[in-house]
Amino acid sequence: MSQRILSYGTCAYVLLLVPLAACHKKAPAPEIRPVRSILVHPSRDGNEEFLTGQVAPHRVVNLSFRLPGKIVERKVAVGDGVHAGQLLARLDDTESRQTLRAATADAQAAEAALAQATPLQKRATALLPDHAISRNDYDEAILRYRTSREAVQSTEARERIAREELDHTRLIANTDGVITERLAEVGEVVSAGQTILRMAEAAGRDAQFDISGDILRSGLTTGAIMDVCLDANRHVCSQGTLYELAPDADPLTRNYHAKVLLQTPPRGMTLGSVVIGHLADASGQNIHLPPSALTAQNGKPAVWVINSQTMTVTLRSIEVSRYAANDVTVASGLHEGERVVTAGVQALYPNQKITLLDDADVRP
């Protein structure tokens, strides 16, 4: 009987130990995900841009006559260098010369009339106090003198206008430059203000570029410094300053037209030469990541930052200043020496344990 009770007790003890053993079963080890990464190193040369453009005149002047008329002479052709004061073209001046001749004759007649009226005015002024001349004769002498004086002033003004009109039949260069275009021929009747020639001023040269929207959004503004070199000879270079940037994009290319004023350009940079512009980021050092490192947090760009002590990851929002095909420029949110995950970002979650596939600071 006692043995049977002992066996029953042994069985109950064994049944009691089975659920206890099940309760002390070990939890599964946390998943450790292998990732590729990169160390954050700000650099100056990662955001350089090379632009292709051409040399253009800083100022182009449209040359025209101030008067309508028929062109009877043209002294220059396209490509000719001209100097300030040089005669470029001439209109038929027959009518202008006749107008000047008539105005000169009127001026001379008015001066003769004034020469006669002046002594009469002086004599009448001297006789009036002694009542040796009537008041009517005095008033007539004074009126004649004043009329003659006003006539002289009027005819002299018309003579000056006629002389200026005669001068305007001659097209004169107002500065040094090069003729770039001819828009009228000898024998053609032109209107006042119609462009006859186009001249590129000798003072100043521009380098003109078409800049993409990505570069513009990276913070490029007027005043930026650019190194410009000839495409045919990269040793012929000049520095330039960006002074004009189009506010809207070209409807066909969607690029923005930019003008760079060259400082003391070398003689080899002739008009129309193809040049290469080297645009370095004016903000100094920048952080660059491969596009595979980006993910999103609340609709904003973010990256997984690795904690080297615990080997876990944390999602951090960043600000991106520029996107490129193989490069992303980070404006803020990261610091030098931090390690960022560059592959496998979609499968990570906060505080997840990770292991590095390799310790080399290379992009995947």
Side-chain angles (χ1 to χ4, degrees):
M1 184 69 179
S2 61
Q3 291 179 353
R4 184 177 297 175
I5 293 172
L6 181 60
S7 63
Y8 285 148
T10 303
C11 290
Y13 179 73
V14 171
L15 292 175
L16 181 63
L17 290 178
V18 171
L20 290 176
C23 293
H24 286 83
K25 184 178 179 180
K26 291 184 179 180
E31 180 185 6
I32 299 178
R33 180 169 294 277
V35 297
R36 288 187 180 274
S37 63
I38 185 175
L39 277 175
V40 173
H41 287 302
S43 63
R44 291 185 179 272
D45 56 356
N47 198 26
E48 293 178 337
E49 294 290 346
F50 293 91
L51 308 171
T52 302
Q54 64 178 2
V55 178
H58 182 59
R59 285 189 58 193
V60 176
V61 181
N62 294 329
L63 302 174
S64 60
F65 291 103
R66 298 187 184 183
L67 302 174
K70 178 181 179 180
I71 301 176
V72 296
E73 186 180 15
R74 178 173 50 80
K75 294 284 190 178
V76 293
V78 174
D80 289 349
V82 299
H83 304 284
Q86 181 178 341
L87 176 64
L88 305 179
R90 188 170 58 86
L91 293 177
D92 182 9
D93 58 0
T94 304
E95 185 177 352
S96 297
R97 289 187 180 277
Q98 291 175 352
T99 302
L100 176 60
R101 189 176 297 112
T104 302
D106 291 341
Q108 292 174 352
E111 290 175 356
L114 179 61
Q116 292 179 351
T118 300
L120 295 177
Q121 178 264 343
K122 292 181 179 179
R123 188 180 302 113
T125 302
L127 295 176
L128 183 62
D130 298 334
H131 303 286
I133 187 175
S134 66
R135 186 70 187 186
N136 289 338
D137 292 339
Y138 170 79
D139 291 342
E140 183 179 353
I142 295 300
L143 178 60
R144 182 178 178 182
Y145 168 75
R146 291 178 178 175
T147 302
S148 300
R149 186 179 61 186
E150 296 298 331
V152 168
Q153 295 177 356
S154 176
T155 55
E156 286 179 348
R158 287 199 298 269
E159 184 183 13
R160 285 195 299 270
I161 293 173
R163 196 177 302 279
E164 288 178 357
E165 289 183 351
L166 180 60
D167 291 339
H168 292 163
T169 61
R170 296 160 51 87
L171 185 59
I172 304 298
N174 56 0
T175 185
D176 296 347
V178 177
I179 302 299
T180 60
E181 194 171 358
R182 184 182 70 248
L183 301 173
E185 298 294 340
V186 175
E188 184 175 348
V189 177
V190 297
S191 59
Q194 179 180 338
T195 302
I196 307 302
L197 300 166
R198 283 199 175 97
M199 183 182 70
E201 291 189 357
R205 287 285 185 271
D206 284 352
Q208 298 184 4
F209 302 94
D210 289 327
I211 296 179
S212 66
D214 289 338
I215 299 177
L216 195 65
R217 286 187 290 271
S218 68
L220 180 66
T221 57
T222 55
I225 304 300
M226 181 183 296
D227 292 327
V228 180
C229 300
L230 282 177
D231 183 45
N233 186 354
R234 299 298 177 88
H235 298 290
V236 180
C237 300
S238 173
Q239 270 199 340
T241 303
L242 178 64
Y243 74 92
E244 184 177 306
L245 193 58
D248 54 350
D250 183 271
L252 296 179
T253 64
R254 308 310 302 168
N255 291 329
Y256 296 82
H257 195 64
K259 295 182 179 180
V260 176
L261 178 60
L262 300 176
Q263 303 170 4
T264 61
R267 297 178 62 89
M269 286 190 178
T270 56
L271 295 177
S273 300
V274 179
V275 292
I276 302 297
H278 173 218
L279 182 64
D281 189 354
S283 60
Q285 295 185 343
N286 290 283
I287 295 173
H288 301 273
L289 297 176
S292 60
L294 290 187
T295 183
Q297 183 181 37
N298 299 326
K300 297 182 178 180
V303 294
W304 290 103
V305 180
I306 299 174
N307 187 329
S308 59
Q309 301 296 327
T310 61
M311 295 302 291
T312 57
V313 292
T314 303
L315 189 61
R316 184 186 300 176
S317 297
I318 61 173
E319 181 180 349
V320 176
S321 62
R322 191 167 68 94
Y323 294 91
N326 299 313
D327 184 85
V328 175
T329 305
V330 179
S332 62
L334 293 175
H335 304 284
E336 184 176 4
E338 292 182 318
R339 186 174 286 274
V340 175
V341 177
T342 59
V345 296
Q346 292 80 9
L348 298 177
Y349 56 83
N351 297 319
Q352 182 178 5
K353 287 280 189 179
I354 57 93
T355 182
L356 303 180
L357 288 177
D358 54 68
D359 294 331
D361 185 18
V362 294
R363 297 183 181 183

